[in-house]
Amino acid sequence: ITLVRTFSGTDSPSVTALDVVAGKLVTAGYRDLKFIDLDLGEVVWDGVGPHTPEAMTHLEDHLAFACGGAGLNTYAVKSSGYPPSTDVFGMGETPKHLQIDGEFLFGHYGSKVYCFDLTQETPSLAWSYPPGDSSEYVLSLQAKDGRVYIGQLSGGVQILEYDRYGFTELVHFHPGGQEIVDLAMMDSVLAVLFDPIDDMWIQRELHLYDLTDITSPVLLDTYANDDFPNLLAAGTTIALWDSSVNAHGIMVLDASNPANLVEASHVATPPLARVTRNGEVLNIVASPSLQMVDVSNPYAPHFGSAISIPDAYYFAAQGNSGYLVNTDLVFDLSDPLSPVLVLSLI
């Protein structure tokens, strides 16, 4: 690792979320939001609020973050003129799993899914789903290519088609079990990870569905396991991983033929590891180390250099030119297998 620059000036005890918007590094910590100019290496705006930001995402020069207890805040990040403009949606709740599809921002809380229109200078709430009260608690959400995929606590999967004016339900089906833990679209195939039985044991079952006919999902293959309760899917590879003290590691599945899932390889991880995905690269964070693994060939994972980092805990990235947050450290991931330390937020 080459130390490029050390930066001081944030007094947050830890960084809980990070994004890069319009050339500005945005960090969120305890009741704190800072905008850092990467060229100048200094804080250009510092905002302190009554609540701690819990999630963050962006589209071009729009930044959105969920603020605990206060709803959703949006900023228009400009090259000059601080503080940035802001709009606060006082929802009385904190939306989770913020993500952007096209020019729309999505999040969910309780039984509701929220869609915000980012096409105007001032973002606005376009619609929420369902329009009335519902007991169908939402656990997982993905918005992609004009559709919203919703996983429910009751074990149901809903798929909506939407625009800024509203939505149409395309299908609502039950894979057969409890709690849709996570889901992900892979071209025309939907990966659904759920709990097959209602008991105290952590078990997971993975189903792949062909959505060529969106109104009639076709089950292609299944994969059941007790050891890997978390899902990361992209391209033609699926990574199932374990974050417990049992250190079961990561199971990499070849999904190039979705009707025939194949256990391609296994990657060992330390206990309590946290795994995220940046394209075809898996990022494994487990104190005191950071390890990047390229799984573009699921049968032969390629390991980057392991980096020793005390108190390693959380990671976030924005593409190949993104950044890694490890409590107080930010890395340039232009080469995702060779991170370079660029900022120390101490």
Side-chain angles (χ1 to χ4, degrees):
I1 301 176
T2 303
L3 177 62
V4 178
R5 180 169 66 235
T6 300
F7 172 79
S8 62
T10 68
D11 52 11
S12 302
S14 65
V15 174
T16 58
L18 173 141
D19 209 339
V20 181
V21 191
K24 304 299 184 294
L25 175 68
V26 186
T27 66
Y30 178 68
R31 297 186 177 184
D32 185 70
L33 188 72
K34 287 183 170 67
F35 289 72
I36 302 166
D37 190 302
L38 292 174
D39 293 327
L40 299 176
E42 64 182 36
V43 173
V44 291
W45 188 76
D46 186 351
V48 179
H51 302 286
T52 301
E54 296 181 2
M56 191 183 299
T57 190
H58 83 278
L59 169 69
E60 296 178 350
D61 64 350
H62 278 110
L63 171 75
F65 69 89
C67 194
L72 180 76
N73 292 53
T74 62
Y75 287 80
V77 184
K78 305 299 183 182
S79 58
S80 62
Y82 291 91
S85 60
T86 178
D87 297 283
V88 180
F89 297 95
M91 300 161 60
E93 52 202 31
T94 304
K96 304 176 185 299
H97 294 156
L98 290 183
Q99 55 189 275
I100 286 176
D101 179 38
E103 296 177 320
F104 297 89
L105 168 71
F106 289 87
H108 70 86
Y109 183 88
S111 62
K112 288 281 190 180
V113 174
Y114 298 95
C115 173
F116 294 90
D117 185 349
L118 300 180
T119 59
Q120 306 301 317
E121 182 66 22
T122 301
S124 60
L125 180 63
W127 50 265
S128 63
Y129 177 85
D133 294 333
S134 172
S135 60
E136 292 280 10
Y137 195 91
V138 177
L139 285 183
S140 52
L141 173 75
Q142 184 178 28
K144 185 176 182 179
D145 300 331
R147 290 174 176 168
V148 185
Y149 304 84
I150 303 169
Q152 299 169 329
L153 177 65
S154 64
V157 175
Q158 283 182 297
I159 303 175
L160 311 178
E161 195 166 55
Y162 78 91
D163 57 25
R164 64 174 45 85
Y165 304 108
F167 54 85
T168 300
E169 182 179 292
L170 299 177
V171 68
H172 187 186
F173 67 98
H174 287 73
Q178 307 290 322
E179 301 186 12
I180 304 299
V181 179
D182 205 354
L183 41 74
M185 275 300 295
M186 305 168 63
D187 295 326
S188 62
V189 174
L190 177 66
V192 179
L193 186 69
F194 64 95
D195 187 347
I197 57 176
D198 186 15
D199 63 14
M200 296 298 293
W201 296 100
I202 295 179
Q203 293 183 305
R204 294 292 184 265
E205 191 165 309
L206 175 68
H207 284 194
L208 297 189
Y209 290 91
D210 182 355
L211 297 185
T212 302
D213 179 356
I214 193 69
T215 63
S216 183
V218 176
L219 179 62
L220 297 172
D221 203 1
T222 66
Y223 180 83
N225 74 92
D226 298 339
D227 298 333
F228 307 103
N230 303 291
L231 169 69
L232 292 169
T236 59
T237 61
I238 296 174
L240 300 172
W241 62 281
D242 169 43
S243 60
S244 74
V245 295
N246 298 316
H248 293 297
I250 305 168
M251 179 60 68
V252 183
L253 304 178
D254 179 3
S256 57
N257 178 3
N260 183 28
L261 282 170
V262 177
E263 290 186 353
S265 59
H266 178 266
V267 177
T269 63
L272 302 176
R274 296 170 63 90
V275 184
T276 55
R277 185 164 185 163
N278 185 22
E280 295 293 352
V281 175
L282 301 179
N283 307 277
I284 306 168
V285 181
S287 183
S289 70
L290 166 68
Q291 176 81 69
M292 272 64 170
V293 183
D294 185 340
V295 293
S296 54
N297 179 355
Y299 295 91
H302 177 62
F303 290 79
S305 300
I307 303 169
S308 179
I309 304 174
D311 302 320
Y313 176 69
Y314 184 73
F315 162 87
Q318 285 293 325
N320 288 338
S321 60
Y323 292 82
L324 170 70
V325 179
N326 166 49
T327 19
D328 299 325
L329 304 179
V330 181
F331 294 85
D332 179 1
L333 298 177
S334 297
D335 180 349
L337 288 179
S338 299
V340 177
L341 179 63
V342 292
L343 293 175
S344 177
L345 301 173
I346 301 175

